[in-house]
Amino acid sequence: MIRAVMAGMLVLLAACDQIGGGKDSHRSAAAAPFPQADRPVAPIVSTRWSSEEARDRVNEAEDIMDRAGIRPGMTVADIGAGEGYYTVRLARRVGDKGRVLAEDIMPEVIEALSRRITREKWDNVSVKLGAPEDPKLPENSFDRILMVHMYHEIGEPYAFLWHMSPALKKDGELIVVDANRPTDQHGTPPRLLACELAAMGFRMEQVIPKPTAGGYLARFRRIAARPDPASIVPCAFQG
């Protein structure tokens, strides 16, 4: 009788697991080979960090672009572009001989940004719908990749960075702007950021306090090949 009851319970548990798909069923096939972040991931709560007028009053974008070394003729990716605050200012900076690719994972955001780009006639800008685990960028294409106030919202950071890495040119740089606070408080401590990027073969070149941009700017260069996904050990550092 006990064996029969236990067998029945195992059948029920198996059925529940099939219905729920298992604990990793929410992960995409592209993310499954990679470890999950050993830290909270902040939810996306807004498509903007602050109003464009307020940000321009403190010269945020111009200062960040100066620090990132963005010049006319460059090709730049704006990851998590949102309403396009950086996208249009990057487009103005790189000029007619440069290009900007604005990426976001929310279809409605991409549609709204596309309308803005068309309305304001930014002919050197393209838009791209990415995925939480893959920004879907063309390889060997960008002098700079910018992530502004969005890194803490990346649900699959190791998969995302692994897929993003080949998009940088040989001498390209990844630029991250974020707040120096825990990820569940919509920020990323710089040492945690450096650890997660190091796992993908990136070296932190510089960290610059940027209170007018809500935190800091970190510059990274790729110095090693991408690791085998199975060899990645998640960073647990929170302080």
Side-chain angles (χ1 to χ4, degrees):
M1 180 65 178
I2 293 176
R3 288 183 178 179
V5 172
M6 291 181 65
M9 290 177 65
L10 289 172
V11 170
L12 286 172
L13 287 171
C16 289
D17 189 61
Q18 289 178 0
I19 293 171
K23 68 176 183 178
D24 291 332
S25 64
H26 63 287
R27 305 186 75 200
S28 70
F34 298 87
Q36 292 181 281
D38 189 18
R39 58 166 174 80
V41 174
I44 299 174
V45 295
S46 176
T47 58
R48 64 166 61 183
W49 175 70
S50 180
S51 72
E52 297 198 9
E53 295 77 11
R55 298 170 87 170
D56 279 345
R57 280 197 295 271
V58 295
N59 205 36
E60 177 190 331
E62 293 300 318
D63 185 38
I64 292 299
M65 290 189 293
D66 287 346
R67 295 287 188 173
I70 295 172
R71 303 182 298 275
M74 280 187 165
T75 302
V76 182
D78 181 13
I79 305 300
E83 297 177 1
Y85 173 74
Y86 271 90
T87 299
V88 300
R89 288 156 181 82
L90 288 165
R92 184 182 299 117
R93 174 69 67 96
V94 302
D96 294 340
K97 295 183 179 180
R99 294 290 302 176
V100 176
L101 177 64
E103 184 268 5
D104 208 285
I105 64 171
M106 302 172 68
E108 64 273 21
V109 170
I110 285 295
E111 290 172 8
L113 182 54
S114 296
R115 291 193 295 270
R116 177 179 185 177
I117 296 307
T118 300
R119 182 175 65 252
E120 298 181 11
K121 296 182 172 59
W122 294 106
D123 297 331
N124 60 345
V125 175
S126 302
V127 298
K128 180 78 172 181
L129 179 65
E133 71 285 344
D134 184 356
K136 301 183 183 296
L137 304 181
E139 292 189 10
N140 193 33
S141 297
F142 299 100
D143 300 292
R144 299 289 186 272
I145 296 178
L146 264 67
M147 299 182 180
V148 180
H149 290 295
M150 56 76 64
Y151 185 85
H152 51 269
E153 297 175 347
I154 299 174
E156 294 282 355
Y158 295 105
F160 187 93
L161 294 171
W162 194 91
H163 287 108
M164 180 210 71
S165 178
L168 275 175
K169 294 180 181 179
K170 182 179 179 180
D171 295 324
E173 291 188 10
L174 171 65
I175 308 296
V176 179
V177 177
D178 213 337
N180 187 0
R181 54 177 178 253
T183 53
D184 57 357
Q185 297 177 31
H186 291 271
T188 310
R191 284 187 286 179
L192 174 61
L193 179 68
C195 180
E196 293 188 349
L197 267 294
M200 293 297 112
F202 285 84
R203 180 179 64 203
M204 181 183 280
E205 300 287 293
Q206 189 178 25
V207 178
I208 306 170
K210 283 284 133 196
T212 55
Y216 64 88
L217 177 150
R219 296 173 47 238
F220 291 87
R221 283 189 180 273
R222 188 179 57 208
I223 61 169
R226 295 184 299 177
D228 179 87
S231 71
I232 299 168
V233 178
C235 299
F237 182 79
Q238 281 287 308

